[in-house]
């Protein structure tokens, strides 16, 4: 389960129960369907204890932020799923944007290190 | 901020003496891939602008915001343009970098753009409340073609002070829209 562009990649590592996003996702709104699909399929495969690892995601545009936010809201609305989002202090946009996901879903386990 | 500011803010747009000016001419066929390339370039150049002394980490953070905001403004220009060139200017004063992106726009799109700005700044809700309401709305309406988060993320996450200038055109010659974003290191 993976999707790659010239600059970015998203894939599920089932052994680590983790979806990894790396590189730069700056797609147009309608080009994010594959990312949405992989996130939703990953949640279906690992309904509890899924981690989204963003530590290799250098850049994300607002359409991509929208995809991640919609996914988090979807998990929240499904109730009870233990979701972790792992970000990096070394990537400035993550410190500015990711804390808002916690406001959308207070039970989210947000780790930025 | 109210809708009238969109017109009154024109005095802050500084395209006259930019330190960097990049023009994507029609012959280049401006497209999505150019947004990322140019915004990265502008982000990297932040430290070379005529900024007052900043710590290395502050320059890096300001450059990251320049990169993000320039990309968002260029993506908008690619989506909204009605032919012609796209121009992006950048300059610095004190601890502030100003970006200005301009493109041709048809009258109908221009009115739609103004209406979206009116909606963005109208009402009692704060920008942050609108930001969260927009994400909730988008989750409930997955068919939506636009996220509506671009200007909100620029302002909330990157402290961008935004302003807009609309120049009217004629049916055969679309008008022009210029969007200015001021990014100040001290707001972080």
């Amino acid at each position: 389960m993976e999707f790659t562009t010239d600059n970015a990649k998203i894939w599920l590592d089932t052994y680590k129960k983790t979806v990894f996003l790396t590189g730069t996702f700056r797609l147009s709104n309608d080009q994010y369907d594959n990312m949405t699909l992989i996130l939703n399929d990953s949640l279906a495969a690992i309904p509890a204890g899924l981690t989204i690892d963003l530590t290799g995601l250098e850049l994300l545009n607002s359409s991509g932020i929208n995809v991640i936010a919609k996914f988090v809201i979807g998990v929240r609305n499904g109730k009870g799923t233990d979701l972790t989002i792992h970000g990096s202090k070394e990537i400035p946009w993550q410190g500015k944007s990711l804390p808002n996901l916690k406001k959308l879903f207070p039970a989210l386990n947000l780790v930025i290190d | 901020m109210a809708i009238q500011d969109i017109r009154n803010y024109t005095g802050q747009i500084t395209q006259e003496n930019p330190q960097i000016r990049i023009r994507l001419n029609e012959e280049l066929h401006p497209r999505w891939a150019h947004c990322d390339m140019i915004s990265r370039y502008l982000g990297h150049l932040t430290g070379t602008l005529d900024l007052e002394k900043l710590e290395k980490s502050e320059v890096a953070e300001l450059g990251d915001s320049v990169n993000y905001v320039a990309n968002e403004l260029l993506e908008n220009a690619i989506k909204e343009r009605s032919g012609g060139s796209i121009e992006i200017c950048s300059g610095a004063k004190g601890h502030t970098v100003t970006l200005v992106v301009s493109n041709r726009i048809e009258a109908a799109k221009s009115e739609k753009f103004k209406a979206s700005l009116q909606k963005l700044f109208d009402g009692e809700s704060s920008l942050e409340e609108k930001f969260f309401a927009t994400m909730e709305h988008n989750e409930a309406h997955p068919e939506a073609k636009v996220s509506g988060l671009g200007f909100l993320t620029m302002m909330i996450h990157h402290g961008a002070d935004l302003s807009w200038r609309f120049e009217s055109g004629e049916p055969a010659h679309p008008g022009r829209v210029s969007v200015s974003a001021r990014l100040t290191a001290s707001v972080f």
Side-chain angles (χ1 to χ4, degrees):
Chain A
M1 200 183 294
E2 71 172 54
F3 169 56
T4 58
T5 71
D6 289 346
N7 303 317
K9 183 177 176 182
I10 174 172
W11 75 99
L12 170 66
D13 183 325
T14 50
Y15 180 73
K16 293 181 178 172
K17 295 185 176 181
T18 299
V19 179
F20 291 91
L21 287 86
T22 60
T24 295
F25 273 104
R26 282 179 163 173
L27 306 174
S28 61
N29 209 37
D30 55 4
Q31 291 176 317
Y32 274 107
D33 290 351
N34 286 318
M35 181 189 282
T36 301
L37 192 65
I38 288 177
L39 289 172
N40 290 337
D41 286 355
S42 299
L43 186 64
I46 302 164
L50 182 67
T51 294
I52 311 294
D53 189 315
L54 305 178
T55 57
L57 187 59
E58 294 166 30
L59 298 166
L60 186 69
N61 64 1
S62 62
S63 296
I65 291 171
N66 186 45
V67 171
I68 303 285
K70 286 197 297 184
F71 176 72
V72 168
I73 293 169
V75 173
R76 180 199 67 193
N77 292 346
K79 294 186 176 71
T81 300
D82 176 20
L83 177 69
T84 297
I85 291 196
H86 189 184
S88 169
K89 279 183 184 168
E90 302 298 316
I91 302 175
W93 74 265
Q94 296 195 2
K96 295 168 191 164
S97 299
L98 296 184
N100 287 308
L101 299 175
K102 184 86 175 166
K103 293 180 184 173
L104 285 170
F105 180 23
L108 173 72
N109 182 26
L110 178 64
V111 180
I112 302 177
D113 56 16
Chain B
M1 184 185 289
I3 188 71
Q4 61 265 29
D5 292 331
I6 292 164
R7 297 164 204 279
N8 294 341
Y9 257 48
T10 55
Q12 291 192 19
I13 294 180
T14 54
Q15 276 172 289
E16 289 73 23
N17 296 300
Q19 289 161 15
I20 300 167
R21 186 194 300 273
I22 299 170
R23 180 177 290 157
L24 307 182
N25 284 330
E26 180 68 37
E27 291 73 14
L28 182 69
H29 306 297
R31 55 192 178 274
W32 204 259
H34 291 132
C35 305
D36 179 53
M37 292 176 200
I38 292 166
S39 55
R40 280 174 189 263
Y41 180 60
L42 291 171
H44 285 310
L45 285 176
T46 299
T48 70
L49 294 173
D50 189 19
L51 284 162
E52 282 179 21
K53 187 164 177 57
L54 290 170
E55 298 295 325
K56 197 175 176 181
S57 61
E58 291 171 327
V59 172
E61 193 150 6
L62 187 56
D64 176 76
S65 288
V66 166
N67 185 342
Y68 181 86
V69 170
N71 182 69
E72 292 291 321
L73 295 179
L74 283 165
E75 287 184 2
N76 285 349
I78 294 283
K79 285 188 281 192
E80 301 293 340
R81 68 188 281 268
S82 302
S85 63
I86 295 173
E87 188 169 276
I88 182 161
C89 299
S90 175
K93 189 174 182 181
H95 293 155
T96 298
V97 173
T98 301
L99 295 168
V100 182
V101 174
S102 66
N103 57 278
R104 281 188 189 167
I105 188 167
E106 291 170 4
K109 280 188 174 180
S110 182
E111 291 308 310
K112 199 174 167 186
F113 193 170
K114 288 177 192 171
S116 71
L117 293 174
Q118 180 92 51
K119 194 176 167 189
L120 190 62
F121 294 114
D122 269 1
E124 298 294 312
S125 307
S126 68
L127 289 174
E128 193 169 59
E129 287 168 335
K130 285 175 178 164
F131 175 63
F132 287 110
T134 301
M135 289 188 285
E136 297 283 355
H137 177 272
N138 291 344
E139 199 279 333
H141 298 85
E143 73 285 359
K145 297 288 183 197
V146 294
S147 76
L149 295 178
F151 289 133
L152 286 167
T153 53
M154 287 183 234
M155 290 186 283
I156 295 169
H157 296 168
H158 297 274
D161 179 8
L162 299 173
S163 55
W164 294 263
R165 178 169 63 192
F166 292 91
E167 298 166 64
S168 56
E170 301 161 10
H173 299 285
R176 203 157 184 91
V177 59
S178 301
V179 187
S180 165
R182 289 159 51 82
L183 297 158
T184 302
S186 59
V187 303
F188 300 125

